[in-house]
């Protein structure tokens, strides 16, 4: 798995205490190639493993990104996996909008920041760790509803728009990063509907066979990453290895 990457590679998982992020850390721990896992979250990642480093940082703010950047200290990162995202936040009154009159500029701005702006700023802050001559896979969670071409149902304005913006920012970053590192692969990944807190309020109508466990998703996303090459950089894939239209 991840044969493109070298032995003893360094992996950085953003959102390591979330459902998919935590499952990704667990999956990477079974990979004999992994040398170092930097697990980034707003609270400590409690894994008593010598090769797991827990970094407490809120990467949605500049201070948190600076904490992570200083921890990595410019050393090469071979796998950067971003598992952060927001769909709803009851405490702040954020819910997917079904109608135009439900749009709220504060909510839209927050969803756009977490889902689109923050991942791009993260790449900016870690640019020195990604450039060079080492193989590097940069994967960030997107969503099929962020596909403009696939939007046949409407609704979920902020979430759809933020994931579409995320995809554009990642594709644009892929072009720049490829000039700085010819062995880089930047990917937007759709995990499918996963049994996490993000999807919990919206699972009632999801068929049982289409509601995936985080472990299942982590395993399949790693397989998708393993199939990609630098020629695929800046592309959009689902958990089953199928390309998604923009």
């Amino acid at each position: 798995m991840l044969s493109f990457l070298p032995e003893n590679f360094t992996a950085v998982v953003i959102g390591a205490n979330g459902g998919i992020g935590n499952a990704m850390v667990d999956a990477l721990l079974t990979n004999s190639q992994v040398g170092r896992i930097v697990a980034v979250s707003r609270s400590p990642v409690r894994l008593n493993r010598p090769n797991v480093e827990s970094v407490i940082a809120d990467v949605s703010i500049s201070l948190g990104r600076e904490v992570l950047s200083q921890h990595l200290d410019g050393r090469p990162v071979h796998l950067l996996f971003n598992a952060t995202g927001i769909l709803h936040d009851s405490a702040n009154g954020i819910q997917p909008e079904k109608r135009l009159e439900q749009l709220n500029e504060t909510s839209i701005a927050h969803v756009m920041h977490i889902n689109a702006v923050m991942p791009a700023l993260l790449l900016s802050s870690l640019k020195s760790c990604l450039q060079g001559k080492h193989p590097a896979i940069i994967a960030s969670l997107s969503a099929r509803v962020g596909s403009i071409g696939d939007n046949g149902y409407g609704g979920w304005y902020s979430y759809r728009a933020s994931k579409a913006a995320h995809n554009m920012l990642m594709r644009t970053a892929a072009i720049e990063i490829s000039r700085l590192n010819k062995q880089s692969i930047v990917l937007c990944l759709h995990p499918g509907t996963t049994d996490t807190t993000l999807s919990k309020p919206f699972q009632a109508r999801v068929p049982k066979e289409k509601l995936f466990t985080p472990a299942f998703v982590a395993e399949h996303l790693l397989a998708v990453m393993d199939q990609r090459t630098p020629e695929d950089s800046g592309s959009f894939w689902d958990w089953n290895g199928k390309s998604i239209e923009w």
Side-chain angles (χ1 to χ4, degrees):
M1 193 69 71
L2 298 180
S3 56
F4 179 70
L5 301 182
E7 289 293 324
N8 296 314
F9 71 79
T10 294
V12 177
V13 178
I14 310 296
N17 263 339
I20 295 177
N22 190 256
M24 183 59 69
V25 172
D26 287 342
L28 287 170
L29 284 170
T30 68
N31 188 327
S32 60
Q33 289 175 257
V34 178
R36 175 190 184 206
I37 301 174
V38 180
V40 185
S41 188
R42 289 177 294 180
S43 57
V45 176
R46 304 191 184 283
L47 277 172
N48 189 22
R49 298 288 290 269
N51 60 335
V52 177
E53 304 168 11
S54 177
V55 175
I56 304 172
D58 180 356
V59 296
S60 69
I61 60 175
S62 58
L63 178 60
R65 295 189 295 274
E66 181 61 26
V67 167
L68 176 58
S69 177
Q70 290 181 1
H71 182 87
L72 295 172
D73 195 27
R75 289 171 287 179
V77 168
H78 303 92
L79 173 62
L80 175 61
F81 183 80
N82 171 43
T84 62
I86 183 173
L87 172 58
H88 60 91
D89 182 351
S90 298
N92 291 302
I94 297 175
Q95 293 291 331
E97 312 94 342
K98 296 180 180 179
R99 299 181 299 278
L100 283 167
E101 58 266 29
Q102 293 176 328
L103 293 177
N104 174 282
E105 60 184 305
T106 302
S107 297
I108 292 174
H110 185 66
V111 172
M112 288 291 291
H113 178 73
I114 297 299
N115 290 345
V117 178
M118 184 275 289
L121 291 175
L122 183 65
L123 296 190
S124 175
S125 66
L126 301 184
K127 185 177 176 181
S128 63
C129 298
L130 302 172
Q131 64 187 27
K133 298 181 179 180
H134 62 284
I137 299 175
I138 301 149
S140 188
L141 289 187
S142 186
R144 190 182 299 276
V145 296
S147 165
I148 296 174
D150 190 58
N151 183 0
Y153 296 98
W156 290 30
Y157 284 86
S158 297
Y159 191 68
R160 285 184 184 276
S162 67
K163 289 301 186 179
H166 165 278
N167 294 347
M168 176 59 84
L169 287 164
M170 291 299 104
R171 185 172 174 88
T172 304
I175 295 170
E176 178 178 356
I177 293 172
S178 69
R179 295 171 182 149
L180 302 172
N181 185 346
K182 296 187 182 304
Q183 293 202 79
S184 63
I185 308 172
V186 179
L187 303 170
C188 301
L189 299 178
H190 167 60
T193 304
T194 312
D195 188 11
T196 64
T197 55
L198 184 142
S199 70
K200 190 71 73 178
F202 313 100
Q203 293 178 6
R205 296 184 180 180
V206 179
K208 186 177 180 181
E209 68 275 11
K210 292 187 177 181
L211 180 62
F212 306 139
T213 66
F216 175 92
V217 169
E219 177 185 349
H220 279 72
L221 292 183
L222 283 169
V224 173
M225 288 185 261
D226 192 41
Q227 296 164 6
R228 307 279 73 82
T229 69
E231 286 68 36
D232 294 314
S233 193
S235 54
F236 187 14
W237 303 85
D238 76 3
W239 61 273
N240 205 26
K242 295 180 180 179
S243 178
I244 302 175
E245 64 178 319
W246 299 114

